[in-house]
Amino acid sequence: MYGKKALLILLHKLCGGPPGPRGSPWTRSLRTTERADEGVGRGPGGPPHIVGIVCGIVLLASAAWGADFSGKTALEYTRKAVAFGPRPPASPANLKLQAYIQAQLKLLRCQVSFDTFTASTPIGPVAMRNIIAKFPGTTGRAVAITGHFDTKSMPGSPFVGANDGGTSTGFLLELARTVNSMPHLNDIYLVWFDGEESYGEWSDTNGIYGSRHLAEKWQQDGTLSHLTALINVDMIGDVNLGIMQEGNSSLSLLHMVWQTATELGYGKYFLDEGFATEDDHLPFLNKGVRALDLIDFDYGPNNEYWHTAQDTIDKVSAHSLDVVGNVLVAVLRKLQ
């Protein structure tokens, strides 16, 4: 019997796949990847009645694996998050977004918990809270998908972080809906981090407050020893999507994700270059967890939208969220 991965590959070949190449100079340099993706998304290649029948069979078989990830729905969740406005930790908008995330999770079959703490920051003590949704499995092993929901404190700037904080929030909410009806053997943790952003200049002690706190807590309570993989998502909604190969990430996990993207016809969105960043995966990586950061750090011309008032909802794309979502759902199945 076909697995979901094979079904998706067959579906892409028969029924049309993702749109053509993005416009970033990075992608234009990936000639090998683009050649491998040539023809994807050009429509059916056989008699219409046969293609229609086969596509119907594939879709029905695929449905048996549970709900499909919807980039359109993820974008709507993102839009709701952004509508609260700037969301630095402990701000009224941050607290309203926390309540919204909790309300959505209450509709699902997951165990919701909180990691509440007070962070010592350059502006003084700040109350922060991570939100954790656990979808229990049976193996004793666990996989975590994480991202942050806060935005950088930028007094005087209407920074709403549509891509930087907004898309990771919306993405995780849609992934929660998908995982809710997806068979899985391992525990699956979805984590919304607070306090990813620094106050002023980034340093080892100023930034990734939420992930640093949870990594320590999970090490103390034993959760960390059950984690077989952690994948963090950040800035993954760029209209011109290009996920870089983040230099601090675990190579085995990076290779699995890149291979899965290629199998699904999305190889052109996962670049063959990148550099090291400090993000929410790092505290777990430093404690021995196999961890990966998925980030598009080429946001706008010369990255000019990052941490500016230009990071607005019109700069993000349902298709980009769909690409990352479909890849990570397939990766979650491989990790079972």
Side-chain angles (χ1 to χ4, degrees):
M1 181 176 177
Y2 280 106
K4 180 67 180 287
K5 177 183 72 177
L7 287 168
L8 285 173
I9 294 169
L10 181 60
L11 184 59
H12 279 305
K13 288 181 177 178
L14 293 174
C15 310
R22 73 187 193 96
S24 164
W26 278 8
T27 296
R28 286 198 294 271
S29 70
L30 301 180
R31 301 304 181 192
T32 303
T33 302
E34 289 189 359
R35 280 199 298 272
D37 287 335
E38 272 183 0
V40 176
R42 295 184 181 176
H49 65 286
I50 295 176
V51 170
I53 292 170
V54 174
C55 287
I57 293 171
V58 170
L59 287 170
L60 286 172
S62 175
W65 288 81
D68 289 329
F69 186 96
S70 167
K72 182 178 179 182
T73 305
L75 181 60
E76 286 309 304
Y77 284 132
T78 301
R79 195 183 305 277
K80 294 241 175 104
V82 171
F84 289 114
R87 305 171 298 282
S91 67
N94 181 290
L95 299 177
K96 288 177 183 177
L97 179 54
Q98 287 188 41
Y100 176 73
I101 294 170
Q102 292 170 232
Q104 300 309 305
L105 294 177
K106 283 183 179 179
L107 304 175
L108 308 176
R109 298 187 302 274
C110 59
Q111 301 168 2
V112 181
S113 60
F114 308 99
D115 176 27
T116 303
F117 62 101
T118 300
S120 177
T121 79
I123 65 168
V126 178
M128 299 186 184
R129 185 168 74 158
N130 299 319
I131 302 173
I132 305 159
K134 178 183 179 181
F135 294 83
T138 58
T139 65
R141 298 187 300 273
V143 176
I145 310 292
T146 66
H148 73 99
F149 67 90
D150 65 304
T151 56
K152 187 173 178 63
S153 178
M154 301 178 68
S157 172
F159 175 62
V160 296
N163 192 29
D164 192 2
T167 53
S168 46
T169 302
F171 177 90
L172 287 172
L173 282 171
E174 171 57 9
L175 187 60
R177 186 195 67 82
T178 307
V179 170
N180 190 59
S181 59
M182 186 178 87
H184 57 94
L185 298 175
N186 297 333
D187 295 343
I188 296 178
Y189 287 96
L190 303 183
V191 183
W192 289 256
F193 289 125
D194 202 358
E196 185 268 351
E197 299 285 7
S198 65
Y199 291 85
E201 291 298 316
W202 186 282
S203 75
D204 290 343
T205 57
N206 182 21
I208 54 174
Y209 292 97
S211 54
R212 285 192 285 129
H213 190 272
L214 187 63
E216 188 65 32
K217 178 181 178 180
W218 275 3
Q219 184 177 53
Q220 292 175 4
D221 69 16
T223 303
L224 217 61
S225 64
H226 299 283
L227 277 182
T228 61
L230 181 145
I231 300 174
N232 186 68
V233 295
D234 195 1
M235 298 175 65
I236 38 84
D238 188 354
V239 169
N240 293 318
L241 183 66
I243 304 294
M244 71 175 195
Q245 294 193 11
E246 195 283 315
N248 284 323
S249 296
S250 299
L251 282 178
S252 62
L253 201 52
L254 188 150
H255 290 158
M256 177 185 289
V257 171
W258 261 244
Q259 179 61 35
T260 303
T262 299
E263 291 167 356
L264 296 179
Y266 296 133
K268 59 180 159 284
Y269 302 106
F270 289 75
L271 308 180
D272 65 355
E273 57 188 38
F275 50 87
T277 65
E278 295 182 79
D279 210 341
D280 281 318
H281 67 309
L282 202 56
F284 299 90
L285 194 72
N286 289 340
K287 292 184 181 297
V289 175
R290 189 167 60 140
L292 169 69
D293 192 34
L294 295 183
I295 184 169
D296 175 349
F297 211 41
D298 182 24
Y299 185 38
N302 299 312
N303 204 31
E304 69 179 26
Y305 300 158
W306 179 59
H307 284 177
T308 72
Q310 295 184 75
D311 185 2
T312 49
I313 197 68
D314 59 298
K315 309 295 196 313
V316 300
S317 156
H319 174 67
S320 296
L321 293 168
D322 217 29
V323 167
V324 180
N326 285 331
V327 170
L328 286 195
V329 168
V331 168
L332 281 173
R333 292 192 174 108
K334 285 185 176 183
L335 288 170
Q336 296 302 306

